[in-house]
Amino acid sequence: MSYELIAALMFSTMLLMMITGQRVFGAVGFVAVVFAMLLWGEGGTDMGFSSIMKLMKWNALLTLPMFVFMGYVMSESRLASDLYRMFHVWFGPMPGGLAIGTILLMVLISAMNGLSVAGMAIGATIALPELVRRNYDKLMISGVIQAGSSLGILIPPSVVLVLFALIARQPVSQLWLAGIFPGLLMATLFIAYIAIRSWLNPALAPPISAEERATITRGEKFALLRAGLLPLLIFAAMMVPFVKGWTSLTESSVIGALTTVGAAMLKGRFTREVFEVATRNTLAITTMFMLIIMAALSFGAVFDGLGAGRAIRGVFLEDLGLSRWEVLILMQLSFLVMGMFLDDTAMLVIVAPVYVMLAKELEFDLIWYGILYTITCQIAYLTPPFGYNLFLMRALAPPEFDLPVIYRSVIPFVLVMLLTLVLLMIFPQIALWLPETIYGR
């Protein structure tokens, strides 16, 4: 059997196991171990052990529990409630103001945790009831919360970018810096869409009433601005020492977690229950990520040993005669299709042995490519029929937000994400300028 056929058999077996409902790490790890033993005999069993040792030596992996813990402390201690009150007061008087405030809230939340699920939980529990009470259109509410929560995997400290960095062997710091401007660009386009749509049809997102505005004093408005300083202080305490080279990535993540805990304690909200819930969820999510990365490393070692990356490059460039940019576009389109059925971790496992190597072979910048991948993950979160955020929204929202409403609500925001992806492909410096300026890449 040819190596190309073996590689195709590995890939198809892994996809079949995932479609049948097997856990991602189980499907990927099982295929990797079985094919390693079939190809190399008893020596193939060393691949799984080697991947575990490699995983244990990656210091950057220690940042994962810190960032996950930050997100859960932020959510469970209700620190986000103060932020939303600030945006409610300052942006509520304008049409679509609360929806714009929700997007800004998600940007600040993203700068403190890096998880989409944390942003979704905060949006559904804090912003959604207020938007419903203000008679916002259901499609607008659902789309804003889902799209805003997806920013958590692009704006640093993004957990998805940490995972990509581990598997693609790229510096986490540069990937984080590369995600800042694309994340802010996407948030700006979201806000522009909301503002234009609300201006054209104010009934979709009515402003707060004149009577309520009269009850808010100027002193209260400026006092609430202090709530907006909290995420900026946490972000600065974590990122400035790291970018300046005073601390390592792991040390900066610890600083961020301690700063978040300190803020919750100052508010008197860091209770035993908050600590227990945050710790249990952090352990569960971190263990899941470690198992997935370990399985992906084993799968990638076997796949790379077969020369699959070079074979795929030969098929695209030599057999089909495609240009490197046509290959890149096909890769992104395949991501969008996979995103309809797989979550971001499953896509990362699939992309690791194939697309990262192919992007490197085609001489694309892997930092830039990592941001393209992350944006496609965001789109995957919102793409029917199995987008992660779609079902999370259904679980957290009231009964009137049924799946047809949730599916329809994300269409304009997915188009905005696709526009951001196209702009980033045409103008790579949107992502690369900041890391190149700071690190001189």
Side-chain angles (χ1 to χ4, degrees):
M1 186 182 292
S2 67
Y3 285 158
E4 290 81 3
L5 186 57
I6 295 173
L9 185 60
M10 281 185 66
F11 197 76
S12 59
T13 303
M14 178 183 66
L15 287 179
L16 180 62
M17 291 188 68
M18 288 183 178
I19 291 173
T20 57
Q22 304 301 319
R23 294 190 181 275
V24 173
F25 73 87
V28 177
F30 175 79
V31 171
V33 171
V34 169
F35 276 84
M37 294 184 67
L38 290 176
L39 289 168
W40 294 291
E42 292 183 1
T45 59
D46 292 339
M47 283 190 160
F49 179 76
S50 298
S51 66
I52 295 174
M53 292 299 100
K54 192 180 298 182
L55 189 69
M56 295 298 102
K57 292 177 182 178
W58 278 347
N59 291 332
L61 193 64
L62 294 172
T63 63
L64 282 180
M66 296 296 106
F67 294 137
V68 175
F69 185 74
M70 285 173 61
Y72 277 108
V73 170
M74 184 74 187
S75 176
E76 296 298 324
S77 62
R78 305 186 315 280
L79 292 177
S81 302
D82 300 335
L83 289 173
Y84 194 70
R85 173 62 180 168
M86 179 190 73
F87 289 124
H88 172 270
V89 167
W90 280 90
F91 291 93
M94 61 184 290
L98 290 183
I100 293 173
T102 301
I103 295 295
L104 294 174
L105 172 70
M106 296 301 183
V107 171
L108 294 179
I109 296 300
S110 300
M112 287 186 286
N113 66 76
L115 286 172
S116 174
V117 63
M120 175 65 79
I122 290 170
T125 56
I126 297 174
L128 189 146
E130 191 67 26
L131 293 170
V132 170
R133 192 167 69 87
R134 304 290 173 180
N135 296 318
Y136 268 57
D137 182 71
K138 287 192 295 185
L139 295 179
M140 176 70 78
I141 296 171
S142 175
V144 164
I145 292 176
Q146 291 182 84
S149 66
S150 71
L151 293 169
I153 67 171
L154 184 57
I155 296 175
S158 165
V159 172
V160 170
L161 286 178
V162 173
L163 295 177
F164 181 89
L166 293 174
I167 292 179
R169 309 292 182 85
Q170 296 300 306
V172 177
S173 57
Q174 295 187 26
L175 279 164
W176 277 356
L177 291 174
I180 292 176
F181 285 161
L184 294 178
L185 171 63
M186 186 179 294
T188 302
L189 293 176
F190 285 159
I191 291 172
Y193 163 75
I194 294 168
I196 294 172
R197 188 80 189 278
S198 302
W199 178 69
L200 293 175
N201 187 0
L204 293 176
I208 61 176
S209 63
E211 293 80 7
E212 184 173 355
R213 272 179 279 170
T215 63
I216 302 172
T217 64
R218 183 182 298 270
E220 182 183 359
K221 291 181 67 174
F222 284 99
L224 284 170
L225 286 177
R226 289 180 296 181
L229 296 177
L230 176 63
L232 298 180
L233 289 175
I234 294 175
F235 186 76
M238 179 174 54
M239 292 298 292
V240 171
F242 176 59
V243 173
K244 290 287 187 180
W246 301 336
T247 61
S248 67
L249 177 63
T250 305
E251 292 166 343
S252 292
S253 67
V254 174
I255 292 173
L258 290 176
T259 307
T260 306
V261 170
M265 292 178 68
L266 287 175
K267 294 280 187 177
R269 300 174 186 173
F270 191 71
T271 63
R272 178 188 178 89
E273 182 182 359
V274 169
F275 176 73
E276 183 174 347
V277 171
T279 303
R280 286 181 180 274
N281 290 334
T282 298
L283 287 172
I285 290 180
T286 303
T287 303
M288 178 192 69
F289 278 139
M290 290 181 67
L291 289 170
I292 290 173
I293 295 172
M294 182 180 66
L297 289 174
S298 300
F299 188 92
V302 179
F303 215 73
D304 191 30
L306 293 171
R310 293 186 295 274
I312 294 174
R313 181 183 185 277
V315 170
F316 280 131
L317 298 183
E318 298 169 12
D319 298 344
L320 298 179
L322 301 176
S323 69
R324 59 198 291 263
W325 282 98
E326 289 172 332
V327 174
L328 179 69
I329 292 173
L330 283 177
M331 290 160 65
Q332 297 309 113
L333 289 175
S334 68
F335 273 137
L336 298 179
V337 174
M338 284 190 291
M340 297 180 182
F341 307 97
L342 302 173
D343 61 15
D344 59 321
T345 51
M347 289 170 61
L348 185 58
V349 169
I350 293 172
V351 75
V354 186
Y355 286 3
V356 170
M357 289 188 295
L358 186 55
K360 189 175 182 180
E361 289 275 342
L362 296 173
E363 299 181 352
F364 286 114
D365 190 300
L366 291 185
I367 299 294
W368 170 70
Y369 181 73
I371 303 303
L372 295 184
Y373 160 77
T374 307
I375 293 176
T376 55
C377 280
Q378 290 180 279
I379 298 173
Y381 276 12
L382 304 181
T383 309
F386 300 116
Y388 182 77
N389 277 16
L390 301 174
F391 290 97
L392 192 58
M393 181 71 183
R394 182 65 193 89
L396 296 173
E400 60 267 23
F401 288 83
D402 54 15
L403 280 178
V405 169
I406 292 173
Y407 282 174
R408 288 166 53 203
S409 68
V410 299
I411 294 174
F413 293 95
V414 167
L415 294 177
V416 170
M417 290 178 173
L418 288 172
L419 174 60
T420 307
L421 184 64
V422 171
L423 289 174
L424 195 61
M425 293 176 71
I426 297 174
F427 306 105
Q429 288 301 309
I430 296 175
L432 296 179
W433 179 82
L434 194 56
E436 286 179 354
T437 300
I438 293 179
Y439 289 100
R441 293 181 67 249

